[in-house]
Amino acid sequence: MLVTIEQLQKFSGVYPDDDSLQKIYIGSASQTIADYVGFDVETSSEYANAIPDVFKFVCLEIATLMQEEESQNLGINSKSFGESGTRTFLNVVDYSKYLRRLDSFRKDSALSL
């Protein structure tokens, strides 16, 4: 894993009794990063000695966003407009602005989100 469960908990401020979902968030965030850059930084011989911190930071950001989506009913928001009623919005998180920090590491710079 790019980051530990303890690092995610410290970063997000969420300390659940059961951290099994946090492990899934980290794994999903790591896979999202690998898909974006075109390689798995954890198994890359180029980064065998040290994984750049930017990968860890982006993993923490994305894993935290995934965690927040889950605890907030998958991004559903309601907004009341006084007497005119209530509207419900689905907030879909676009990870591309976080992943762009990794653009210089991409194996095929012609790829885009």
Side-chain angles (χ1 to χ4, degrees):
M1 290 195 295
L2 285 173
V3 297
T4 65
I5 290 171
E6 292 77 20
Q7 288 171 321
L8 176 59
Q9 289 173 346
K10 211 172 195 182
F11 185 83
S12 68
V14 176
Y15 300 89
D17 293 333
D18 179 7
D19 60 14
S20 58
L21 282 177
Q22 288 182 321
K23 185 175 181 179
I24 292 171
Y25 301 141
I26 293 169
S28 297
S30 297
Q31 185 61 53
T32 300
I33 290 168
D35 291 346
Y36 184 77
V37 296
F39 65 95
D40 184 351
V41 70
E42 293 178 283
T43 60
S44 171
S45 58
E46 187 175 347
Y47 301 106
N49 294 330
I51 295 173
D53 287 339
V54 68
F55 280 90
K56 296 175 184 179
F57 185 68
V58 171
C59 185
L60 287 169
E61 288 180 314
I62 292 174
T64 298
L65 289 169
M66 290 176 176
Q67 181 173 259
E68 287 178 4
E69 282 181 314
E70 183 66 29
S71 65
Q72 297 298 320
N73 201 14
L74 294 175
I76 296 175
N77 264 340
S78 288
K79 176 71 177 165
S80 294
F81 297 100
E83 292 182 24
S84 64
T86 301
R87 298 233 171 96
T88 301
F89 303 93
L90 176 61
N91 296 324
V92 179
V93 177
D94 179 6
Y95 302 123
S96 62
K97 72 179 186 178
Y98 305 99
L99 291 166
R100 284 197 181 101
R101 290 190 180 106
L102 305 174
D103 279 352
S104 63
F105 295 95
R106 292 184 84 176
K107 290 297 182 193
D108 185 352
S109 60
L111 295 175
S112 64
L113 281 177

